[in-house]
Amino acid sequence: QVRLVESGGGLAQVGDSLRLSCAASGRTFTANAMAWFRAAPGKDREFVAGTMRTGGTLVVADSLKARFTVARDNANNTMSLQMDSLIPEDTAVYYCAAGGITQAFLLQRPSSYHSWGQGTRLTVSM
């Protein structure tokens, strides 16, 4: 499938900005959609942001769009997540995912993706 490698996590303080990156390799032609999900301690994985190569769709979860920005570089098979004004509730493992879906309403569903990265951990402290 597609190999995904996340980077950019670590320790941050409230109010900081941080940028996560995801690099895709392998069968990237199957990755029309790429997305970020996160899993906070003790919580289910939740959708953060998604992109689609066709049409250039960029979507950020409603609760995060004031602070998070997603971008995709199709030429280099990378995706980034710019996170501003970090809060403790952003503490989570952030996962990159890739899938072949072509309809934007499917971006938020984990089942839409056939490949997942190992995740990068972000901890936001006071």
Side-chain angles (χ1 to χ4, degrees):
Q1 296 287 18
V2 179
R3 181 170 181 261
L4 302 169
V5 179
E6 304 96 337
S7 62
L11 300 175
Q13 294 189 325
V14 171
D16 283 354
S17 294
L18 203 70
R19 184 183 183 92
L20 303 182
S21 296
C22 174
S25 60
R27 299 168 59 90
T28 57
F29 62 90
T30 69
N32 185 58
M34 293 181 69
W36 290 101
F37 287 78
R38 69 183 183 182
K43 295 187 177 181
D44 292 335
R45 193 169 299 190
E46 68 168 332
F47 173 79
V48 174
T51 71
M52 297 182 71
R53 184 168 48 221
T54 54
T57 300
L58 302 173
V59 175
V60 179
D62 287 344
S63 62
L64 299 173
K65 61 177 53 178
R67 300 185 295 117
F68 288 15
T69 305
V70 66
R72 181 167 176 174
D73 181 344
N74 292 316
N76 292 301
N77 294 311
T78 61
M79 179 179 63
S80 64
L81 183 69
Q82 176 67 36
M83 303 182 291
D84 298 323
S85 302
L86 288 168
I87 59 177
E89 289 75 15
D90 294 323
T91 295
V93 178
Y94 286 74
Y95 297 92
C96 177
I101 57 169
T102 59
Q103 294 175 290
F105 78 93
L106 295 173
L107 282 169
Q108 301 190 31
R109 301 181 185 179
S111 60
S112 296
Y113 303 93
H114 53 62
S115 300
W116 292 82
Q118 291 298 307
T120 185
R121 185 177 300 276
L122 169 65
T123 302
V124 182
S125 61
M126 299 293 289

